[in-house]
């Protein structure tokens, strides 16, 4: 495998932050990846796996071997009357897989249209949007154990999925590389349009009979209207997770802030939109030099160019402190600091 030294990563992270990798290699197949992991030369060097770079905040140069995962391919494995099983390489662009499914009439991930990143990164944080999470369609996840280069197949249950969480972000953090995912998709669509924005957007578009394509089109329209395109303004989507708070705390807060939105997510638990909290704390559209808060979605921090990861981190800490002071709620970052 070809190794590059001091590789510039500016174009490989959607924040567009300037940082470099001491060592850098591209892996286009499981075999190539396994070879480099087990080679005597690189065996003991710490490794960092880079997918679409859409969920990382680069704070420093990376003093490791950065492996850019480019394992491609989408193939049908099997089907029955109701379902089709698709396998996709970890380096496939997530939205390309969604478009493949839309074109072939395979339902289940149309609500996840236009999410940046790769197939391999998607199970890491159980990507979700507009009422759907990837855990609903993941059959198995294939991952290579970095210590030995052995391939392991994780069942859906073994991935231990939660809200923007999986085993790969916790006990197995940094230990496995996801090389491929098998999805079980529906031949008979079950449209999920309960998320407010989808229904109103479909109405706006004059669509009354739903299809996989029309739902995908609506999601693309919503995302394009609210979320900045990383090709234009650096960002990593939602910077924080939506906090879950005890229901009694939520009820108490409602007496002070009657408009505070909240969704019951479990017994005695309410999820509050972080974007609302940040907007109420007056950060929406705020700009401080090269970094700021998006003016159409306060949950998204943006990099206008020429700034650093440290500046974004500092801004995120100021936001956390002010939201905590106003509401007594601690926001937790969704992006990974590297
Ligand atoms: N809101 C505001 N001001 C804002 C932003 C949001 O008041 O500036 C309030 C509104 O009340 C709105 C509510 O927050 O009704 C929810 O906003 P939105 O529908 O935009 O969704 P979100 O909760 O902010 C989550 C995901 C997004 C996903 C959308 C749609 C997380 C951390 N984020 O955002 O995922 O696209 O729902 O399902 O759960 C991502 O993870 O990178 C991401 C973009």
């Amino acid at each position: 495998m070809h190794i590059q030294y001091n590789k510039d990563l500016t174009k490989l992270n959607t924040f567009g932050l300037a940082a470099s990798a001491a060592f850098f290699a591209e892996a286009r197949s499981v075999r190539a990846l396994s070879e480099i992991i087990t080679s005597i030369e690189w065996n003991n060097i710490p490794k960092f796996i880079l997918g679409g770079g859409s969920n990382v905040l680069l704070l420093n140069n990376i003093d490791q071997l950065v492996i850019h995962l480019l394992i491609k391919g989408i193939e049908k494995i099997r089907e029955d009357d109701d379902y089709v099983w698709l396998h996709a390489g970890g380096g496939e662009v997530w939205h390309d897989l969604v478009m493949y499914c839309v074109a072939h009439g395979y339902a289940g991930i149309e609500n996840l249209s236009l999410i940046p990143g790769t197939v391999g990164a998607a199970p890491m944080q159980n990507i979700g949007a507009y009422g759907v999470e990837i855990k609903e369609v993941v059959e198995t996840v294939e991952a290579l154990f970095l210590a030995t280069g052995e391939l392991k197949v994780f069942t859906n249950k073994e991935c231990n999925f939660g809200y923007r969480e999986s085993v790969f972000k916790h006990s197995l953090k940094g230990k496995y590389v996801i090389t491929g995912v098998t999805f079980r998709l529906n031949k008979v669509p079950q449209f999920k349009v309960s998320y407010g924005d989808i229904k109103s957007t479909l109405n706006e578009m004059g669509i009354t009979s739903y299809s996989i394509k029309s739902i995908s089109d609506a999601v693309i329209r919503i995302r394009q209207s609210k979320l900045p395109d990383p090709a234009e303004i650096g960002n990593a989507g939602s910077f924080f997770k939506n906090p879950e708070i005890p229901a009694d705390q939520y009820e108490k807060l409602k007496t002070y802030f009657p408009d505070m939105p909240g969704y019951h997510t479990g017994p005695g638990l309410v999820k509050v939109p972080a974007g609302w909290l940040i907007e109420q704390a007056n950060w929406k559209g705020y700009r401080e030099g090269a970094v700021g808060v998006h003016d159409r979605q306060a949950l998204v921090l943006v990099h206008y160019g020429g700034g650093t990861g440290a500046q974004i981190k500092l801004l995120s800490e100021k936001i956390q402190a002010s939201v905590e002071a106003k509401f007594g709620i601690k926001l937790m970052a969704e992006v990974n600091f590297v």
Side-chain angles (χ1 to χ4, degrees), residues 226 240 242 257 259-261 272-286 293-301 319-320 322-323 326-327 331:
K226 276 194 185 175
F240 299 102
N242 286 330
F257 307 101
D259 298 336
M260 181 186 266
V272 180
W276 187 89
L277 299 170
I278 297 168
E279 180 172 348
Q280 295 303 307
N282 275 326
W283 290 99
K284 196 170 186 172
Y286 174 85
V293 179
H294 189 51
D295 57 0
R296 274 170 282 148
Q297 165 52 291
L299 193 47
V300 178
L301 301 194
I319 292 170
Q320 274 172 324
S322 89
V323 165
K326 189 170 170 108
F327 299 104
L331 295 180

Side-chain angles (χ1 to χ4, degrees), residues 91-158:
E92 276 291 338
V93 172
W94 172 259
H95 184 64
D96 291 351
L97 174 68
V98 176
M99 290 297 96
Y100 177 98
C101 291
V102 169
H104 287 78
Y106 304 150
I109 54 174
E110 56 281 2
N111 293 44
L112 305 179
S113 296
L114 216 61
I115 293 187
T118 56
V119 165
M124 297 276 283
Q125 56 154 346
N126 180 24
I127 59 167
Y130 308 105
V132 173
E133 285 183 330
I134 193 190
K135 72 171 185 192
E136 294 156 40
V137 292
V138 168
E139 179 89 358
T140 54
V141 169
E142 283 155 31
L144 212 73
F145 189 35
L146 276 168
T148 61
E150 264 170 278
L151 203 61
K152 176 173 160 66
V153 179
F154 291 79
T155 62
N156 181 306
K157 200 158 171 255
E158 285 170 327

Side-chain angles (χ1 to χ4, degrees), residues 56-134:
V56 287
L57 180 71
L58 299 179
L59 295 169
N60 294 298
N61 292 332
I62 305 181
D63 195 20
Q64 301 182 0
L65 170 59
V66 172
I67 302 177
H68 191 201
L69 207 72
L70 292 170
I71 300 169
K72 302 274 185 184
I74 300 173
E75 59 178 320
K76 184 156 78 178
I77 306 208
R78 65 189 168 104
E79 65 185 306
D80 63 17
D81 290 344
D82 302 317
Y83 302 107
V84 55
W85 284 262
L86 282 191
H87 180 269
E92 276 291 338
V93 172
W94 172 259
H95 184 64
D96 291 351
L97 174 68
V98 176
M99 290 297 96
Y100 177 98
C101 291
V102 169
H104 287 78
Y106 304 150
I109 54 174
E110 56 281 2
N111 293 44
L112 305 179
S113 296
L114 216 61
I115 293 187
T118 56
V119 165
M124 297 276 283
Q125 56 154 346
N126 180 24
I127 59 167
Y130 308 105
V132 173
E133 285 183 330
I134 193 190

Side-chain angles (χ1 to χ4, degrees), residues 157-216:
K157 200 158 171 255
E158 285 170 327
C159 294
N160 209 3
F161 290 123
Y163 167 58
R164 294 297 193 276
E165 297 290 357
S166 77
V167 71
F168 304 105
K169 271 180 87 174
H170 290 279
S171 58
L172 301 183
K173 188 173 178 179
K175 296 198 168 111
Y176 279 89
V177 190
I178 298 174
T179 53
V181 181
T182 300
F183 299 92
R184 192 190 72 169
L185 299 151
N186 288 297
K187 285 185 169 173
V188 186
Q190 290 155 355
F191 300 121
K192 295 209 176 145
V193 293
S194 54
Y195 204 94
D197 278 356
I198 294 201
K199 257 194 195 139
S200 55
T201 305
L202 285 163
N203 281 344
E204 248 171 60
M205 293 163 79
I207 292 164
T208 45
S209 90
Y210 302 151
S211 68
I212 301 171
K213 171 96 170 59
S214 67
I215 306 277
S216 168

